[in-house]
Amino acid sequence: MSTTWAVVPIRLPLVRRRCHTCASQRFRPSGKFRVNANHKLLDVWLLILCAGCGDTAKLTVLERMTVRSIPPALLDRLHANDPGLTAELLQDPGVQHRNRIALDWDGAWRLDTGEPAHPDDDVIDVLVRFAARIPVRPVRLIAEGCGLARAEVDRLILDGRLVSAVRLGGRLSGDFTFTLKR
């Protein structure tokens, strides 16, 4: 039997960054942008709020860009505080690197397994699709999707009854497939 699972975000991830006011390590995105014009140059920041004290910090999105070099559709989305743009920019590796941040996805995603596998199926092929680049351990996904303990999933891998073309240890944030032989 072949089935498809989906890893879907349910909220924006928290931003890991040290707060200078209260030393908290987590910020939540406000979903608001600040666009500052200096003559013909624009600076754009994404505002984030400390989870501990509520203090506001800025993540640099654009620096000293000429107005003409920014696509009008992007500028409209920035001015409208588009929530979809917030999600896109948080996951942008360039924005993460420039601001020296990491994302905390704990509790920010869910696994949709669709129809449960039939217990009498000998072989189950599963395609796992990611709706966003959410780093998750495949062993955790398989355990949650199949209703097994993680130790049981590890035993299935060692016995060769759970196989995949990708390494199941570590974290993945891209689509993968696996086969479970009962």
Side-chain angles (χ1 to χ4, degrees):
M1 177 180 162
S2 183
T3 185
T4 300
W5 295 354
V7 178
V8 182
I10 55 175
R11 67 167 171 79
L12 291 173
L14 296 177
V15 175
R16 286 191 210 157
R17 178 179 171 175
R18 186 178 172 278
C19 177
H20 297 291
T21 305
C22 72
S24 171
Q25 297 291 326
R26 303 282 189 269
F27 282 79
R28 56 185 169 78
S30 70
K32 301 205 181 303
F33 294 95
R34 177 160 183 230
V35 180
N36 186 38
N38 184 4
H39 300 287
K40 293 182 181 180
L41 301 177
L42 290 182
D43 292 314
V44 178
W45 298 282
L46 172 61
L47 301 179
I48 56 176
L49 305 171
C50 176
C53 66
D55 195 33
T56 302
K58 300 182 290 190
L59 298 179
T60 302
V61 176
L62 300 173
E63 273 186 307
R64 302 286 183 228
M65 299 286 294
T66 60
V67 176
R68 289 185 175 182
S69 67
I70 301 172
L74 175 61
L75 204 50
D76 289 342
R77 291 177 74 190
L78 290 167
H79 286 297
N81 292 319
D82 182 1
L85 183 60
T86 300
E88 290 172 31
L89 291 173
L90 281 175
Q91 294 182 50
D92 182 359
V95 171
Q96 290 179 14
H97 180 73
R98 181 182 310 122
N99 292 284
R100 296 185 192 104
I101 62 166
L103 300 180
D104 181 2
W105 284 97
D106 288 345
W109 60 273
R110 75 174 190 279
L111 178 65
D112 287 338
T113 57
E115 294 183 22
H118 299 290
D120 56 345
D121 289 339
D122 290 334
V123 178
I124 302 170
D125 292 318
V126 179
L127 168 62
V128 180
R129 294 202 175 273
F130 286 79
R133 285 192 336 260
I134 303 170
V136 182
R137 295 183 186 281
V139 171
R140 177 180 177 187
L141 288 177
I142 295 167
E144 186 176 322
C146 294
L148 302 170
R150 288 190 204 174
E152 178 65 22
V153 174
D154 288 334
R155 274 194 296 278
L156 289 169
I157 292 170
L158 287 175
D159 293 344
R161 296 186 345 200
L162 178 61
V163 294
S164 177
V166 299
R167 190 172 149 258
L168 296 175
R171 293 183 184 266
L172 289 176
S173 58
D175 299 351
F176 71 97
T177 60
F178 69 89
T179 302
L180 175 63
K181 302 170 191 168
R182 296 189 190 250

PDB file of all heavy atoms in Angstrom, residues 19-24 26-28 49-56:
ATOM      1  N   CYS A  19      17.667  38.154  23.871  1.00  0.00           N
ATOM      2  CA  CYS A  19      17.076  39.465  24.136  1.00  0.00           C
ATOM      3  C   CYS A  19      18.064  40.277  24.967  1.00  0.00           C
ATOM      4  O   CYS A  19      18.610  39.783  25.960  1.00  0.00           O
ATOM      5  CB  CYS A  19      15.752  39.314  24.890  1.00  0.00           C
ATOM      6  SG  CYS A  19      14.989  40.882  25.339  1.00  0.00           S
ATOM      7  N   HIS A  20      18.280  41.505  24.580  1.00  0.00           N
ATOM      8  CA  HIS A  20      19.228  42.360  25.305  1.00  0.00           C
ATOM      9  C   HIS A  20      18.623  42.939  26.574  1.00  0.00           C
ATOM     10  O   HIS A  20      19.337  43.433  27.432  1.00  0.00           O
ATOM     11  CB  HIS A  20      19.718  43.485  24.391  1.00  0.00           C
ATOM     12  CG  HIS A  20      20.477  42.979  23.216  1.00  0.00           C
ATOM     13  ND1 HIS A  20      21.715  42.394  23.316  1.00  0.00           N
ATOM     14  CD2 HIS A  20      20.153  42.914  21.902  1.00  0.00           C
ATOM     15  CE1 HIS A  20      22.141  42.017  22.133  1.00  0.00           C
ATOM     16  NE2 HIS A  20      21.209  42.314  21.246  1.00  0.00           N
ATOM     17  N   THR A  21      17.320  42.846  26.723  1.00  0.00           N
ATOM     18  CA  THR A  21      16.654  43.390  27.902  1.00  0.00           C
ATOM     19  C   THR A  21      16.537  42.361  29.018  1.00  0.00           C
ATOM     20  O   THR A  21      16.881  42.650  30.160  1.00  0.00           O
ATOM     21  CB  THR A  21      15.242  43.910  27.531  1.00  0.00           C
ATOM     22  OG1 THR A  21      15.369  44.852  26.469  1.00  0.00           O
ATOM     23  CG2 THR A  21      14.571  44.564  28.720  1.00  0.00           C
ATOM     24  N   CYS A  22      16.043  41.157  28.683  1.00  0.00           N
ATOM     25  CA  CYS A  22      15.777  40.168  29.741  1.00  0.00           C
ATOM     26  C   CYS A  22      16.566  38.866  29.582  1.00  0.00           C
ATOM     27  O   CYS A  22      16.380  37.940  30.356  1.00  0.00           O
ATOM     28  CB  CYS A  22      14.294  39.857  29.800  1.00  0.00           C
ATOM     29  SG  CYS A  22      13.685  38.869  28.414  1.00  0.00           S
ATOM     30  N   ALA A  23      17.401  38.758  28.590  1.00  0.00           N
ATOM     31  CA  ALA A  23      18.233  37.567  28.329  1.00  0.00           C
ATOM     32  C   ALA A  23      17.415  36.338  27.922  1.00  0.00           C
ATOM     33  O   ALA A  23      17.902  35.223  27.990  1.00  0.00           O
ATOM     34  CB  ALA A  23      19.134  37.235  29.515  1.00  0.00           C
ATOM     35  N   SER A  24      16.169  36.520  27.495  1.00  0.00           N
ATOM     36  CA  SER A  24      15.374  35.418  26.956  1.00  0.00           C
ATOM     37  C   SER A  24      16.009  34.970  25.638  1.00  0.00           C
ATOM     38  O   SER A  24      16.714  35.731  24.987  1.00  0.00           O
ATOM     39  CB  SER A  24      13.931  35.880  26.721  1.00  0.00           C
ATOM     40  OG  SER A  24      13.205  34.909  26.013  1.00  0.00           O
ATOM     41  N   ARG A  26      14.050  33.488  23.075  1.00  0.00           N
ATOM     42  CA  ARG A  26      13.002  33.278  22.084  1.00  0.00           C
ATOM     43  C   ARG A  26      12.263  34.574  21.759  1.00  0.00           C
ATOM     44  O   ARG A  26      11.920  35.350  22.641  1.00  0.00           O
ATOM     45  CB  ARG A  26      11.964  32.274  22.584  1.00  0.00           C
ATOM     46  CG  ARG A  26      12.528  30.922  22.979  1.00  0.00           C
ATOM     47  CD  ARG A  26      12.810  30.085  21.746  1.00  0.00           C
ATOM     48  NE  ARG A  26      13.151  28.719  22.050  1.00  0.00           N
ATOM     49  CZ  ARG A  26      14.388  28.282  22.251  1.00  0.00           C
ATOM     50  NH1 ARG A  26      15.389  29.101  22.204  1.00  0.00           N
ATOM     51  NH2 ARG A  26      14.612  27.013  22.491  1.00  0.00           N
ATOM     52  N   PHE A  27      11.997  34.762  20.477  1.00  0.00           N
ATOM     53  CA  PHE A  27      11.205  35.883  19.986  1.00  0.00           C
ATOM     54  C   PHE A  27      10.093  35.325  19.122  1.00  0.00           C
ATOM     55  O   PHE A  27      10.263  34.311  18.457  1.00  0.00           O
ATOM     56  CB  PHE A  27      12.057  36.830  19.131  1.00  0.00           C
ATOM     57  CG  PHE A  27      12.950  37.738  19.925  1.00  0.00           C
ATOM     58  CD1 PHE A  27      14.148  37.283  20.445  1.00  0.00           C
ATOM     59  CD2 PHE A  27      12.587  39.056  20.142  1.00  0.00           C
ATOM     60  CE1 PHE A  27      14.970  38.126  21.163  1.00  0.00           C
ATOM     61  CE2 PHE A  27      13.399  39.911  20.853  1.00  0.00           C
ATOM     62  CZ  PHE A  27      14.602  39.443  21.373  1.00  0.00           C
ATOM     63  N   ARG A  28       8.960  35.999  19.095  1.00  0.00           N
ATOM     64  CA  ARG A  28       7.883  35.606  18.191  1.00  0.00           C
ATOM     65  C   ARG A  28       7.731  36.696  17.139  1.00  0.00           C
ATOM     66  O   ARG A  28       7.819  37.896  17.452  1.00  0.00           O
ATOM     67  CB  ARG A  28       6.588  35.334  18.924  1.00  0.00           C
ATOM     68  CG  ARG A  28       6.072  36.439  19.759  1.00  0.00           C
ATOM     69  CD  ARG A  28       4.821  36.013  20.556  1.00  0.00           C
ATOM     70  NE  ARG A  28       4.518  37.023  21.540  1.00  0.00           N
ATOM     71  CZ  ARG A  28       3.917  38.173  21.273  1.00  0.00           C
ATOM     72  NH1 ARG A  28       3.544  38.447  20.049  1.00  0.00           N
ATOM     73  NH2 ARG A  28       3.686  39.055  22.222  1.00  0.00           N
ATOM     74  N   LEU A  49       9.034  40.168  18.608  1.00  0.00           N
ATOM     75  CA  LEU A  49       8.770  40.510  19.999  1.00  0.00           C
ATOM     76  C   LEU A  49       9.337  39.443  20.918  1.00  0.00           C
ATOM     77  O   LEU A  49       9.136  38.242  20.693  1.00  0.00           O
ATOM     78  CB  LEU A  49       7.259  40.631  20.235  1.00  0.00           C
ATOM     79  CG  LEU A  49       6.512  41.606  19.329  1.00  0.00           C
ATOM     80  CD1 LEU A  49       5.017  41.454  19.511  1.00  0.00           C
ATOM     81  CD2 LEU A  49       6.961  43.021  19.612  1.00  0.00           C
ATOM     82  N   CYS A  50      10.029  39.874  21.978  1.00  0.00           N
ATOM     83  CA  CYS A  50      10.606  38.939  22.936  1.00  0.00           C
ATOM     84  C   CYS A  50       9.488  38.155  23.619  1.00  0.00           C
ATOM     85  O   CYS A  50       8.482  38.723  24.052  1.00  0.00           O
ATOM     86  CB  CYS A  50      11.428  39.696  23.980  1.00  0.00           C
ATOM     87  SG  CYS A  50      12.095  38.623  25.264  1.00  0.00           S
ATOM     88  N   ALA A  51       9.653  36.852  23.721  1.00  0.00           N
ATOM     89  CA  ALA A  51       8.659  36.006  24.373  1.00  0.00           C
ATOM     90  C   ALA A  51       8.670  36.208  25.881  1.00  0.00           C
ATOM     91  O   ALA A  51       7.683  35.909  26.559  1.00  0.00           O
ATOM     92  CB  ALA A  51       8.912  34.531  24.042  1.00  0.00           C
ATOM     93  N   GLY A  52       9.765  36.746  26.413  1.00  0.00           N
ATOM     94  CA  GLY A  52       9.859  36.964  27.857  1.00  0.00           C
ATOM     95  C   GLY A  52       9.318  38.304  28.303  1.00  0.00           C
ATOM     96  O   GLY A  52       8.432  38.386  29.154  1.00  0.00           O
ATOM     97  N   CYS A  53       9.823  39.385  27.714  1.00  0.00           N
ATOM     98  CA  CYS A  53       9.464  40.725  28.185  1.00  0.00           C
ATOM     99  C   CYS A  53       8.643  41.532  27.188  1.00  0.00           C
ATOM    100  O   CYS A  53       8.139  42.602  27.529  1.00  0.00           O
ATOM    101  CB  CYS A  53      10.727  41.505  28.554  1.00  0.00           C
ATOM    102  SG  CYS A  53      11.800  41.885  27.152  1.00  0.00           S
ATOM    103  N   GLY A  54       8.505  41.062  25.952  1.00  0.00           N
ATOM    104  CA  GLY A  54       7.723  41.782  24.955  1.00  0.00           C
ATOM    105  C   GLY A  54       8.487  42.886  24.255  1.00  0.00           C
ATOM    106  O   GLY A  54       7.907  43.630  23.458  1.00  0.00           O
ATOM    107  N   ASP A  55       9.766  43.021  24.525  1.00  0.00           N
ATOM    108  CA  ASP A  55      10.578  44.045  23.877  1.00  0.00           C
ATOM    109  C   ASP A  55      10.651  43.770  22.367  1.00  0.00           C
ATOM    110  O   ASP A  55      10.650  42.619  21.938  1.00  0.00           O
ATOM    111  CB  ASP A  55      11.987  44.044  24.480  1.00  0.00           C
ATOM    112  CG  ASP A  55      12.777  45.283  24.125  1.00  0.00           C
ATOM    113  OD1 ASP A  55      12.161  46.358  23.993  1.00  0.00           O
ATOM    114  OD2 ASP A  55      14.011  45.173  23.981  1.00  0.00           O
ATOM    115  N   THR A  56      10.732  44.835  21.568  1.00  0.00           N
ATOM    116  CA  THR A  56      10.761  44.705  20.115  1.00  0.00           C
ATOM    117  C   THR A  56      12.199  44.711  19.612  1.00  0.00           C
ATOM    118  O   THR A  56      13.022  45.494  20.066  1.00  0.00           O
ATOM    119  CB  THR A  56       9.993  45.869  19.458  1.00  0.00           C
ATOM    120  OG1 THR A  56       8.660  45.867  19.944  1.00  0.00           O
ATOM    121  CG2 THR A  56       9.978  45.728  17.951  1.00  0.00           C
TER     122      THR A  56
END
